[in-house]
Amino acid sequence: MSKHLGTENCTSQSVLYDIDHSDRQKLQQILDDASKALNNEAVLWRVDKDGVSPSYLFGTVHVLDPSLQKLSPAVRSAIDRSKIVAVESVESTHTAMVATMATTASLMISHDKELQRILDEDEMTVVEKAFSDAGYPGELATALKPWAVTMFLADSKCQQALLARGLKPIDALVAERAHAKGKSVIGLETLAEQYRSLASISDIAQIAWLKATIELHDRVDDVSETLSELYRFRRLNAIWPITQELAPDAGLDEPVLQALRNELVSKRNWRMLDRAMPMLEKGGAFIAVGALHQSGPDGLVALLEKKGFRLTALE
């Protein structure tokens, strides 16, 4: 069943349907395994510590989706009760992104045109067409590192159309509610720090990630729909094995996936924990991060419990 996105030629269908039709047992195993991830059962948690007001930890997903345009009553109430709100980054404007790209250009530039060495002709055609369709010279891609090209390919015209219609990612809805209630909104990371994390991914993992993104590029909106669906199901961790299943020739074996998780999630968890701790120690904080940062033994829920906080799943 396709989901119309409200703009011409923009439809999406969760890739879960494809896997279900080809191998239902495989899909069930993927979802069952994802359900077993530690602290995966909720996206909103109350964070308690004796002597201070409760704080809250809220998991988001970084896609635009018409079905994710309203914060639940519980989330709105938690924001309203808090003194300060923190999101992953407050540098969300195009101007901020361009400025950060200018200051971190050395992380993005490939001086030996490595894409021409690591991609075959068909893969290069996909990349160059994506750049050309976006209004950039196709050859610009050869001047960039694999991780930077992967980020570029992750966007889509349909996501941009939804943005132009006024749809917002969940993080922006949180910040909007906080501002409306007179709360301070701060970022746990800078864009430059996020780019440095991406640039730190090993060459092997960068290449596999890029190849998987290329293989799935004509279904980029289906992937966005899948992320939204897994978020609603509380099975977001399933995105890793699903990507393996859909891009079997990309080289996303377990060591590569672990390297990606380590740089994209685990290491950043420690940085965000360090930034959030002063607010949580004072109490009355609302912390919104990608839901993948909450679960697992090195997720923020587990890390906060190790710091002596009591966490209660609310939603």
Side-chain angles (χ1 to χ4, degrees):
M1 180 177 179
S2 294
K3 175 180 176 182
H4 185 58
L5 296 181
T7 187
E8 187 177 358
N9 298 322
C10 281
T11 58
S12 65
Q13 176 175 286
S14 170
V15 299
L16 299 185
Y17 291 107
D18 292 2
I19 302 176
D20 185 39
H21 290 153
S22 64
D23 192 337
R24 176 163 293 183
Q25 186 174 357
K26 168 76 77 171
L27 176 61
Q28 191 60 54
Q29 186 64 56
I30 289 173
L31 295 177
D32 286 348
D33 289 346
S35 72
K36 297 173 185 175
L38 183 65
N39 300 320
N40 189 59
E41 69 272 21
V43 293
L44 180 63
W45 300 77
R46 189 174 68 240
V47 183
D48 290 303
K49 194 169 190 179
D50 293 343
V52 298
S53 301
S55 292
Y56 300 90
L57 178 66
F58 178 51
T60 68
V61 63
H62 307 311
V63 293
L64 295 171
D65 189 296
S67 71
L68 298 174
Q69 292 301 294
K70 289 185 178 180
L71 300 175
S72 71
V75 172
R76 295 198 302 270
S77 176
I79 293 172
D80 296 351
R81 293 176 181 175
S82 300
K83 303 170 187 175
I84 189 169
V85 171
V87 295
E88 283 188 26
S89 175
V90 292
E91 301 169 286
S92 59
T93 66
H94 179 71
T95 300
M97 292 180 185
V98 170
T100 301
M101 289 174 66
T103 60
T104 59
S106 63
L107 300 175
M108 302 181 181
I109 300 301
S110 171
H111 296 290
D112 62 352
K113 297 185 177 180
E114 59 190 289
L115 251 63
Q116 293 181 335
R117 289 188 286 104
I118 64 179
L119 300 182
D120 62 29
E121 184 176 345
D122 290 341
E123 290 169 331
M124 280 301 304
T125 297
V126 172
V127 171
E128 290 175 347
K129 184 178 186 303
F131 274 72
S132 179
D133 288 347
Y136 299 99
E139 58 269 21
L140 174 62
T142 63
L144 298 176
K145 291 282 189 180
W147 72 265
V149 177
T150 300
M151 290 298 95
F152 185 91
L153 294 178
D155 200 4
S156 78
K157 288 184 178 180
C158 293
Q159 284 282 294
Q160 289 298 323
L162 291 173
L163 184 65
R165 281 178 47 200
L167 273 69
K168 299 179 176 70
I170 298 175
D171 311 67
L173 295 174
V174 168
E176 185 177 73
R177 176 76 180 191
H179 285 306
K181 295 297 181 177
K183 316 290 183 180
S184 296
V185 179
I186 66 169
L188 296 173
E189 298 178 308
T190 66
L191 277 179
E193 287 173 327
Q194 292 180 351
Y195 290 171
R196 282 194 286 272
S197 292
L198 292 165
S200 297
I201 297 170
S202 70
D203 290 343
I204 292 174
Q206 280 194 44
I207 292 168
W209 190 21
L210 174 58
K211 284 179 172 287
T213 303
I214 291 171
E215 190 168 346
L216 295 173
H217 183 60
D218 63 347
R219 303 198 63 183
V220 63
D221 291 301
D222 291 347
V223 172
S224 294
E225 169 64 15
T226 306
L227 283 168
S228 298
E229 189 168 26
L230 291 173
Y231 177 77
R232 291 190 293 268
F233 289 167
R234 307 291 192 263
R235 298 290 187 275
L236 200 55
N237 284 281
I239 194 59
W240 304 105
I242 284 172
T243 304
Q244 276 183 308
E245 186 72 17
L246 296 175
D249 299 323
L252 288 171
D253 57 22
E254 283 307 314
V256 165
L257 282 182
Q258 185 55 47
L260 289 172
R261 290 191 196 101
N262 191 45
E263 296 296 340
L264 297 176
V265 182
S266 300
K267 286 186 178 180
R268 291 176 59 210
N269 286 350
W270 286 102
R271 180 165 63 217
M272 290 191 283
L273 176 68
D274 184 61
R275 305 279 169 79
M277 279 300 294
M279 292 177 279
L280 295 170
E281 291 286 3
K282 292 180 180 178
F286 184 96
I287 311 294
V289 297
L292 281 175
H293 292 285
Q294 293 183 316
S295 61
D298 59 356
L300 287 174
V301 174
L303 294 179
L304 286 171
E305 287 177 334
K306 290 177 182 177
K307 292 286 188 179
F309 293 93
R310 298 185 302 276
L311 280 90
T312 305
L314 298 179
E315 183 177 281

